[in-house]
Structure formats: structure tokens, C-alpha cells
Amino acid sequence: MFDDEKVESIMNRVDARKVQAHAANPKGVTAILDDYLNQRALKVYSQTSALGFVTGIRSMSSLALLGRTSDKSREGMQLLTQWLPLVAALGEAVADKLPVIPSRTSAGTFIGRLVIGGVSALILCRREQVPPIPGVVIGVVGAGTGAFASHYIRTRLAKVTKIPDPVLGILEDALVSGLGMLAVRKHH
């Protein structure tokens, strides 16, 4: 068997190797990987927040932006994933300037924005391969925040500045385009 001296010698060598391995990679491979994935997930979740906010302003824009930046390899799905949301988003942008369109904060349109915000966040999280549940919650909250914040700001600006409502709608369209493109950019 081993005597105490041999056991101690073996243990000292094992400890020395642990110190060497730790010096070469102090956090460990799994810790580095976890840090990377957590940072990546946080970036995607911030994108879901922005995408949700965009959805609160123009409900179909998030789906249109996701469709335009999606994987183009599914040729048969292009009509459903790219063209229909784009046509719907353009129609919404035009209709938004009409006085007969209901407020984005009325019950039906608001709930629709929340649902679309959650679905858009789910699509983005799946595309970026991060856990979807936090993203969906963030997307829904972003959509609600975007709907109420943009409604309040637009009506307040119309009263204070006397800028015509359709002009403010065009400014919202520009905000949706810019923020939306940032929200759907890929990390690869």
C-alpha cells in the first residue's frame, strides 16, 4: 500500500496542477462560457425591450422587421413571414394618420399590442437562442410602455407645439424604423 509520505507527495502534485490550471484559466471554462451567455442574453433581452416598445407604437412593425431580417433559407415561408407583415406595417403607418383610427391605448388595440410584443420577443429570443420566457415578459412590458408613452407624448406635443398630428405620426414612424432596426440586428 501507500505510505503517508507517498500519499502526501501525490496530493502535493495534484494541488500543484490545480494551481497551474487555475492560473492559466482562473475563472474556468464553464464560468467563462456562462459569462458570455449571460452577456449575450442581456443584449438580446435589451433588444426585446426595444422591440416591445416599437410594437407599442406601431404594432405590426416588429413582425415586419423580424421578417425582413429573418433567415432567407425558407423560400416557401417568405410570403407569410416577410411580405404580409411588411404590407400590414405599411398599412398601419398610413392608417395611423387618419382621425378615425382608435387610440393605441383602447382595450382591444392595447391587448393586441401586448400579444404582438410577446410574440415578437419570442421570435427574437428563439432566433438568438436565449431563454424566451424573460424575453417575452420584457417584450410585453415594452409594448405596454411604448403604447402609453407614445400616446401621451404625441397628444401632449400636438397640444403644446401645435404641430399637426400626421406630422407627429411621421416622426413616430422614423423612431419606429430606427429603434426597430437596432432591436432586430443579429449578434452573429
Side-chain angles (χ1 to χ4, degrees):
M1 225 44 192
F2 293 110
D3 62 18
D4 289 339
E5 206 172 281
K6 282 191 177 192
V7 170
E8 189 173 330
S9 172
I10 292 170
M11 293 304 289
N12 286 338
R13 281 186 277 169
V14 168
D15 287 341
R17 295 222 172 142
K18 282 183 184 176
V19 168
Q20 288 173 342
H22 186 71
N25 188 3
K27 293 181 100 179
V29 172
T30 56
I32 290 171
L33 186 59
D34 285 346
D35 284 351
Y36 169 75
L37 292 175
N38 287 336
Q39 289 174 4
R40 190 166 177 277
L42 286 175
K43 287 179 185 177
V44 173
Y45 294 150
S46 68
Q47 286 178 274
T48 63
S49 176
L51 193 60
F53 194 84
V54 163
T55 303
I57 301 170
R58 297 280 184 279
S59 62
M60 294 306 297
S61 291
S62 58
L63 293 175
L65 288 162
L66 286 166
R68 300 305 301 160
T69 59
S70 69
D71 182 11
K72 308 292 189 226
S73 65
R74 298 182 196 162
E75 293 300 323
M77 296 297 289
Q78 280 188 334
L79 176 66
L80 183 62
T81 62
Q82 294 176 352
W83 294 106
L84 289 177
L86 179 62
V87 169
L90 293 173
E92 182 183 16
V94 171
D96 174 69
K97 286 40 166 209
L98 303 174
V100 296
I101 299 300
S103 170
R104 64 191 76 174
T105 59
S106 66
T109 56
F110 182 71
I111 291 169
R113 289 169 196 277
L114 296 180
V115 170
I116 295 170
V119 169
S120 298
L122 176 66
I123 292 167
L124 183 62
C125 288
R126 291 266 171 111
R127 182 176 84 183
E128 296 295 331
Q129 300 176 343
V130 299
I133 300 299
V136 169
V137 171
I138 293 167
V140 169
V141 170
T145 303
F148 276 99
S150 62
H151 173 75
Y152 175 78
I153 291 169
R154 184 168 166 178
T155 55
R156 189 79 180 132
L157 279 174
K159 287 179 185 174
V160 171
T161 64
K162 307 294 186 219
I163 296 173
D165 188 63
V167 173
L168 293 172
I170 292 169
L171 292 174
E172 279 183 342
D173 293 337
L175 173 66
V176 164
S177 295
L179 185 58
M181 286 307 296
L182 288 174
V184 298
R185 76 178 187 277
K186 295 184 179 186
H187 291 287
H188 304 300

